[in-house]
């Protein structure tokens, strides 16, 4: 045991002695790595993050003890009782769909300094800042690759004319950029929906976060009330038709009764009774349709979910990143470790061979 400890102490001393002899190399590598890290990280534009937290109404309403215990373990016993095909766990997928992003591209956004006032599509296409160093590095390969590609028709910087079924390369890139900007997560235990938006301007960040919240609420409401709304429209149509038929029958009965007030012939009285019975039948149909319409409207109100905004969208005051100094420190530590392995490569190789 003492020999092993002595050997380890000797090895550490040898490694430290080797590193100390190469301290000039470490100094040069440290200066170069610090310069490269600063060149790579400092020009990176800052970005801001805004989060919105929603608590949707639980329409299933299972308040049993077993349901509560299952929710604590992350199991939703009500997942299949509502009959919904789009469960809350799929909301992040909804936000990453072209149809949902297509609802965001026409939103008007304005930067905090007032220099930018345009649509969200144009902002993502024209006003995104980037690291000039990275742009310069990738500009040459892109130019070389572009020589072997066919030139594509560029967009006009407008969201008008975007065909979600057949988008151009430029439009697809803008949609991908928006999808990378907008995020959503659902907590299984509580059902809380957290919407996160990351943008380079704080005001635009908060604006898009609030817009995504409103669009998602509209999507959920429209989906859950789709059948109920169709029923309301259907019964509205039937009620209007029944009312027209009843009005027509009432006017016919009234006109016939007025014209034959003094007539005592039985045939006229029988026809008057038939018209009165037909009017009563039309009224009963109209009354039944009106009751069905009221029930459908009540069902629509019942199916409409209520949302509680736990955390509203606010303009962030401090940037969320990038962590420039931390990135520089990590890069310098990484280069120091690589340099140490390079300096002691023969010692490491001998140690591995001896083992």
């Amino acid at each position: 045991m003492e020999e092993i400890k002595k050997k380890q102490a000797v090895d550490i001393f040898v490694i430290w002695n080797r590193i100390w002899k190469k301290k000039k190399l470490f100094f040069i590598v440290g200066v170069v790595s610090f310069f490269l890290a600063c060149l790579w990280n400092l020009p990176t534009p800052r970005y801001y993050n805004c989060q919105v937290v929603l608590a949707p109404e639980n329409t299933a309403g299972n308040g049993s003890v077993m349901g509560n215990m299952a929710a604590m373990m992350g199991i939703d016993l009500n997942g299949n009782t509502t009959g919904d095909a789009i469960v809350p766990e799929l909301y992040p997928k909804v936000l990453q769909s072209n149809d949902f992003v297509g609802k965001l591209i026409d939103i008007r956004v304005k930067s905090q300094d007032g220099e930018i006032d345009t649509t969200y599509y144009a902002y993502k296409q024209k006003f995104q800042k980037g690291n000039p160093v990275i742009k310069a590095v990738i500009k040459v390969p892109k130019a070389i690759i572009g020589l072997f590609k066919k030139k594509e028709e560029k967009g006009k910087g407008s969201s008008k004319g975007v065909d979600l079924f057949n988008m151009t390369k430029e439009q697809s890139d803008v949609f991908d950029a928006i999808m990378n900007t907008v995020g959503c997560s659902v907590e299984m235990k509580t059902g809380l929906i957290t919407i996160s938006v990351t943008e380079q301007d704080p005001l635009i960040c908060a604006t898009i976060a609030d817009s995504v919240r409103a669009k998602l609420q509209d999507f959920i409401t429209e989906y859950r009330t789709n059948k109920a709304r169709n029923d309301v429209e259907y019964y509205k149509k039937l009620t209007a038709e029944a009312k027209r038929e009843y009005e027509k029958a009432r006017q016919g009965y009234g006109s016939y009764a007025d014209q034959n007030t003094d007539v005592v012939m039985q045939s006229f009285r029988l026809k008057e009774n038939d018209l009165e019975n037909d009017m009563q039948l039309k009224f009963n149909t109209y009354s039944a349709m009106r009751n069905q319409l009221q029930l459908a409207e009540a069902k629509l109100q019942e199916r409409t979910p209520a949302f509680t905004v736990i955390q509203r969208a606010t303009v962030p005051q401090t940037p969320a990143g990038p962590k420039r100094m931390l990135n520089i420190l990590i890069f310098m530590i990484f280069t120091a470790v690589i340099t140490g392995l390079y300096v002691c490569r023969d010692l490491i190789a001998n140690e591995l061979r001896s083992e």
Side-chain angles (χ1 to χ4, degrees), residues 239 286-296:
T239 302
Y286 168 62
S287 179
M289 291 298 101
R290 189 172 57 182
N291 292 335
Q292 290 293 333
L293 176 60
Q294 292 176 351
L295 291 175

Side-chain angles (χ1 to χ4, degrees), residues 8-75:
Q8 290 178 349
V10 171
D11 292 342
I12 293 175
F13 178 77
V14 173
I15 292 174
W16 173 253
N17 189 30
R18 176 69 63 85
I19 292 176
W20 182 254
K21 289 182 179 179
K22 300 290 184 177
K23 58 182 180 293
K24 185 176 180 181
L25 176 63
F26 277 89
F27 177 78
I28 296 174
V29 171
V31 172
V32 174
S33 62
F34 178 77
F35 175 76
L36 293 177
C38 291
L39 190 64
W40 190 267
N41 288 277
L42 293 182
T44 303
R46 294 188 180 276
Y47 57 85
Y48 298 82
N49 182 266
C50 180
Q51 290 188 346
V52 179
V53 181
L54 291 176
E57 178 187 19
N58 186 6
T59 56
N62 188 354
S64 64
V65 177
M66 291 298 295
N68 294 334
M69 293 178 62
M72 294 176 62
M73 295 183 291
I75 303 174

